[in-house]
Every structure is written in C-alpha cells, then in structure tokens.
Short mmCIF file of all heavy atoms in Angstrom, two decimals:
data_model
loop_
_atom_site.label_atom_id
_atom_site.label_comp_id
_atom_site.label_asym_id
_atom_site.label_seq_id
_atom_site.Cartn_x
_atom_site.Cartn_y
_atom_site.Cartn_z
N ILE A 453 5.09 -8.68 3.42
CA ILE A 453 5.24 -7.61 4.41
C ILE A 453 4.52 -6.35 3.91
O ILE A 453 4.76 -5.91 2.78
CB ILE A 453 6.72 -7.29 4.67
CG1 ILE A 453 7.46 -8.55 5.13
CG2 ILE A 453 6.85 -6.19 5.72
CD1 ILE A 453 8.96 -8.35 5.27
N ALA A 454 3.67 -5.78 4.73
CA ALA A 454 2.94 -4.56 4.37
C ALA A 454 3.83 -3.35 4.65
O ALA A 454 3.95 -2.91 5.80
CB ALA A 454 1.63 -4.46 5.15
N GLN A 455 4.45 -2.82 3.60
CA GLN A 455 5.37 -1.69 3.75
C GLN A 455 5.03 -0.51 2.85
O GLN A 455 5.62 0.55 2.98
CB GLN A 455 6.81 -2.15 3.43
CG GLN A 455 7.35 -3.22 4.35
CD GLN A 455 8.73 -3.69 3.92
OE1 GLN A 455 8.98 -3.96 2.75
NE2 GLN A 455 9.65 -3.77 4.88
N PHE A 456 4.08 -0.71 1.95
CA PHE A 456 3.76 0.32 0.96
C PHE A 456 2.59 1.16 1.46
O PHE A 456 1.63 0.65 2.05
CB PHE A 456 3.38 -0.34 -0.37
CG PHE A 456 3.05 0.63 -1.46
CD1 PHE A 456 4.04 1.34 -2.12
CD2 PHE A 456 1.72 0.83 -1.84
CE1 PHE A 456 3.73 2.23 -3.14
CE2 PHE A 456 1.41 1.72 -2.86
CZ PHE A 456 2.42 2.41 -3.51
N HIS A 457 2.67 2.47 1.22
CA HIS A 457 1.56 3.35 1.59
C HIS A 457 1.29 4.30 0.44
O HIS A 457 2.13 4.50 -0.44
CB HIS A 457 1.89 4.13 2.87
CG HIS A 457 3.04 5.08 2.71
ND1 HIS A 457 2.88 6.38 2.27
CD2 HIS A 457 4.37 4.92 2.90
CE1 HIS A 457 4.06 6.98 2.22
NE2 HIS A 457 4.98 6.11 2.59
N THR A 458 0.11 4.90 0.43
CA THR A 458 -0.28 5.79 -0.66
C THR A 458 -0.30 7.25 -0.25
O THR A 458 -0.71 8.11 -1.02
CB THR A 458 -1.68 5.41 -1.20
OG1 THR A 458 -2.64 5.50 -0.14
CG2 THR A 458 -1.67 4.00 -1.76
N ASP A 459 0.16 7.54 0.97
CA ASP A 459 0.28 8.92 1.42
C ASP A 459 1.57 9.52 0.88
O ASP A 459 2.54 8.81 0.65
CB ASP A 459 0.29 9.01 2.95
CG ASP A 459 -1.02 8.55 3.57
OD1 ASP A 459 -2.03 8.49 2.84
OD2 ASP A 459 -1.02 8.24 4.78
N LEU A 460 1.60 10.83 0.72
CA LEU A 460 2.83 11.47 0.28
C LEU A 460 3.86 11.50 1.40
O LEU A 460 5.05 11.42 1.16
CB LEU A 460 2.53 12.90 -0.19
CG LEU A 460 1.66 13.04 -1.43
CD1 LEU A 460 1.48 14.50 -1.80
CD2 LEU A 460 2.27 12.28 -2.60
N VAL A 461 3.38 11.59 2.62
CA VAL A 461 4.24 11.59 3.80
C VAL A 461 3.60 10.71 4.86
O VAL A 461 2.38 10.75 5.06
CB VAL A 461 4.44 13.02 4.36
CG1 VAL A 461 5.29 13.00 5.63
CG2 VAL A 461 5.07 13.93 3.31
N ILE A 462 4.38 9.90 5.55
CA ILE A 462 3.86 9.01 6.59
C ILE A 462 3.39 9.83 7.79
O ILE A 462 4.09 10.73 8.26
CB ILE A 462 4.93 8.00 7.03
CG1 ILE A 462 5.30 7.07 5.87
CG2 ILE A 462 4.45 7.18 8.22
CD1 ILE A 462 6.43 6.12 6.19
N THR A 463 2.18 9.52 8.26
CA THR A 463 1.62 10.14 9.45
C THR A 463 1.15 9.03 10.38
O THR A 463 1.15 7.85 10.00
CB THR A 463 0.42 11.03 9.08
OG1 THR A 463 -0.71 10.19 8.71
CG2 THR A 463 0.75 11.96 7.92
N PRO A 464 0.73 9.38 11.59
CA PRO A 464 0.20 8.34 12.49
C PRO A 464 -1.04 7.64 11.94
O PRO A 464 -1.43 6.58 12.42
CB PRO A 464 -0.14 9.13 13.77
CG PRO A 464 0.78 10.31 13.72
CD PRO A 464 0.87 10.68 12.28
N PHE A 465 -1.67 8.23 10.92
CA PHE A 465 -2.89 7.66 10.34
C PHE A 465 -2.63 6.88 9.06
O PHE A 465 -3.55 6.35 8.44
CB PHE A 465 -3.90 8.78 10.05
CG PHE A 465 -4.17 9.67 11.22
CD1 PHE A 465 -3.57 10.93 11.31
CD2 PHE A 465 -5.00 9.26 12.26
CE1 PHE A 465 -3.80 11.75 12.40
CE2 PHE A 465 -5.23 10.07 13.35
CZ PHE A 465 -4.63 11.33 13.43
N THR A 466 -1.39 6.81 8.66
CA THR A 466 -1.03 6.13 7.41
C THR A 466 -1.34 4.63 7.49
O THR A 466 -0.99 3.97 8.46
CB THR A 466 0.46 6.33 7.09
OG1 THR A 466 0.70 7.72 6.86
CG2 THR A 466 0.86 5.53 5.86
N LYS A 467 -1.99 4.15 6.44
CA LYS A 467 -2.28 2.72 6.33
C LYS A 467 -1.27 2.08 5.38
O LYS A 467 -1.00 2.62 4.31
CB LYS A 467 -3.69 2.48 5.81
CG LYS A 467 -4.08 1.00 5.74
CD LYS A 467 -5.53 0.83 5.31
CE LYS A 467 -5.91 -0.65 5.24
NZ LYS A 467 -7.31 -0.86 4.81
N PHE A 468 -0.73 0.94 5.78
CA PHE A 468 0.26 0.25 4.97
C PHE A 468 -0.35 -0.96 4.27
O PHE A 468 -1.21 -1.65 4.82
CB PHE A 468 1.45 -0.17 5.83
CG PHE A 468 2.27 0.99 6.33
CD1 PHE A 468 1.96 1.61 7.52
CD2 PHE A 468 3.32 1.48 5.57
CE1 PHE A 468 2.70 2.69 7.98
CE2 PHE A 468 4.07 2.56 6.01
CZ PHE A 468 3.75 3.17 7.23
N TYR A 469 0.13 -1.21 3.06
CA TYR A 469 -0.38 -2.30 2.24
C TYR A 469 0.78 -3.17 1.76
O TYR A 469 1.94 -2.77 1.80
CB TYR A 469 -1.09 -1.75 0.99
CG TYR A 469 -2.19 -0.77 1.26
CD1 TYR A 469 -1.92 0.59 1.42
CD2 TYR A 469 -3.52 -1.20 1.33
CE1 TYR A 469 -2.94 1.50 1.66
CE2 TYR A 469 -4.54 -0.29 1.55
CZ TYR A 469 -4.25 1.06 1.72
OH TYR A 469 -5.25 1.95 1.96
N LYS A 470 0.44 -4.35 1.27
CA LYS A 470 1.41 -5.18 0.56
C LYS A 470 1.37 -4.72 -0.90
O LYS A 470 0.33 -4.81 -1.56
CB LYS A 470 1.05 -6.66 0.66
CG LYS A 470 1.05 -7.22 2.08
CD LYS A 470 0.56 -8.65 2.09
CE LYS A 470 0.45 -9.17 3.52
NZ LYS A 470 -0.11 -10.55 3.56
N TYR A 471 2.49 -4.24 -1.38
CA TYR A 471 2.57 -3.75 -2.76
C TYR A 471 2.10 -4.82 -3.74
O TYR A 471 1.36 -4.55 -4.68
CB TYR A 471 4.01 -3.33 -3.06
CG TYR A 471 4.20 -2.60 -4.38
CD1 TYR A 471 4.28 -1.22 -4.41
CD2 TYR A 471 4.33 -3.30 -5.58
CE1 TYR A 471 4.49 -0.54 -5.61
CE2 TYR A 471 4.53 -2.63 -6.78
CZ TYR A 471 4.60 -1.25 -6.79
OH TYR A 471 4.78 -0.58 -7.98
N SER A 472 2.51 -6.05 -3.47
CA SER A 472 2.18 -7.15 -4.38
C SER A 472 0.68 -7.42 -4.41
O SER A 472 0.13 -7.80 -5.45
CB SER A 472 2.93 -8.42 -3.98
OG SER A 472 2.61 -8.80 -2.65
N ASP A 473 -0.01 -7.21 -3.29
CA ASP A 473 -1.47 -7.41 -3.26
C ASP A 473 -2.17 -6.43 -4.18
O ASP A 473 -3.11 -6.79 -4.90
CB ASP A 473 -2.00 -7.25 -1.83
CG ASP A 473 -1.75 -8.47 -0.96
OD1 ASP A 473 -1.24 -9.48 -1.49
OD2 ASP A 473 -2.05 -8.42 0.24
N LEU A 474 -1.73 -5.17 -4.14
CA LEU A 474 -2.33 -4.15 -5.00
C LEU A 474 -2.07 -4.46 -6.47
O LEU A 474 -2.95 -4.28 -7.33
CB LEU A 474 -1.77 -2.77 -4.65
CG LEU A 474 -2.07 -2.25 -3.25
CD1 LEU A 474 -1.32 -0.94 -3.00
CD2 LEU A 474 -3.57 -2.04 -3.05
N ALA A 475 -0.87 -4.94 -6.77
CA ALA A 475 -0.52 -5.29 -8.15
C ALA A 475 -1.34 -6.47 -8.65
O ALA A 475 -1.87 -6.45 -9.77
CB ALA A 475 0.97 -5.60 -8.24
N VAL A 476 -1.45 -7.50 -7.84
CA VAL A 476 -2.21 -8.69 -8.22
C VAL A 476 -3.70 -8.35 -8.38
O VAL A 476 -4.36 -8.82 -9.33
CB VAL A 476 -2.05 -9.81 -7.17
CG1 VAL A 476 -3.06 -10.94 -7.41
CG2 VAL A 476 -0.63 -10.37 -7.21
N GLU A 477 -4.21 -7.52 -7.49
CA GLU A 477 -5.61 -7.11 -7.58
C GLU A 477 -5.88 -6.41 -8.90
O GLU A 477 -6.88 -6.66 -9.57
CB GLU A 477 -5.94 -6.18 -6.41
CG GLU A 477 -7.38 -5.69 -6.41
CD GLU A 477 -7.68 -4.73 -5.27
OE1 GLU A 477 -6.79 -4.53 -4.40
OE2 GLU A 477 -8.77 -4.15 -5.25
N HIS A 478 -4.96 -5.53 -9.30
CA HIS A 478 -5.16 -4.82 -10.57
C HIS A 478 -5.00 -5.78 -11.74
O HIS A 478 -5.76 -5.68 -12.72
CB HIS A 478 -4.16 -3.66 -10.70
CG HIS A 478 -4.42 -2.82 -11.91
ND1 HIS A 478 -5.54 -2.02 -12.04
CD2 HIS A 478 -3.71 -2.67 -13.07
CE1 HIS A 478 -5.52 -1.42 -13.21
NE2 HIS A 478 -4.42 -1.79 -13.85
N TYR A 479 -4.05 -6.67 -11.67
CA TYR A 479 -3.85 -7.65 -12.74
C TYR A 479 -5.14 -8.45 -12.96
O TYR A 479 -5.58 -8.62 -14.11
CB TYR A 479 -2.71 -8.59 -12.40
CG TYR A 479 -2.52 -9.68 -13.44
CD1 TYR A 479 -1.85 -9.43 -14.63
CD2 TYR A 479 -3.02 -10.97 -13.23
CE1 TYR A 479 -1.68 -10.42 -15.59
CE2 TYR A 479 -2.87 -11.96 -14.18
CZ TYR A 479 -2.20 -11.68 -15.36
OH TYR A 479 -2.07 -12.66 -16.31
N ASN A 480 -5.72 -8.91 -11.87
CA ASN A 480 -6.96 -9.69 -11.99
C ASN A 480 -8.09 -8.87 -12.58
O ASN A 480 -8.96 -9.41 -13.28
CB ASN A 480 -7.36 -10.25 -10.62
CG ASN A 480 -6.43 -11.34 -10.15
OD1 ASN A 480 -5.82 -12.05 -10.95
ND2 ASN A 480 -6.30 -11.50 -8.84
#
C-alpha cells in the first residue's frame, strides 16, 4: 500500500510511495 510521502505536510500535490519500495531500492 502506497501510504508514505516525503512532504512535511500533505497537500493536493503530494505523491505517495510504498515505504518498502524505497527501502529495498536503497538496499540494492
């Protein structure tokens, strides 16, 4: 589920990510 965002506050333009995808990408 894409629930993680990198904005300090959610706005209508906020993009959501899968936290695990970002973690796995960095691990690789």
Side-chain angles (χ1 to χ4, degrees):
I453 303 174
Q455 297 176 314
F456 181 76
H457 65 88
T458 59
D459 296 341
L460 294 181
V461 177
I462 295 175
T463 72
F465 308 101
T466 295
K467 183 176 180 180
F468 291 89
Y469 305 86
K470 297 175 185 176
Y471 189 98
S472 59
D473 282 355
L474 296 174
V476 169
E477 180 182 354
H478 186 68
Y479 177 80
N480 289 333

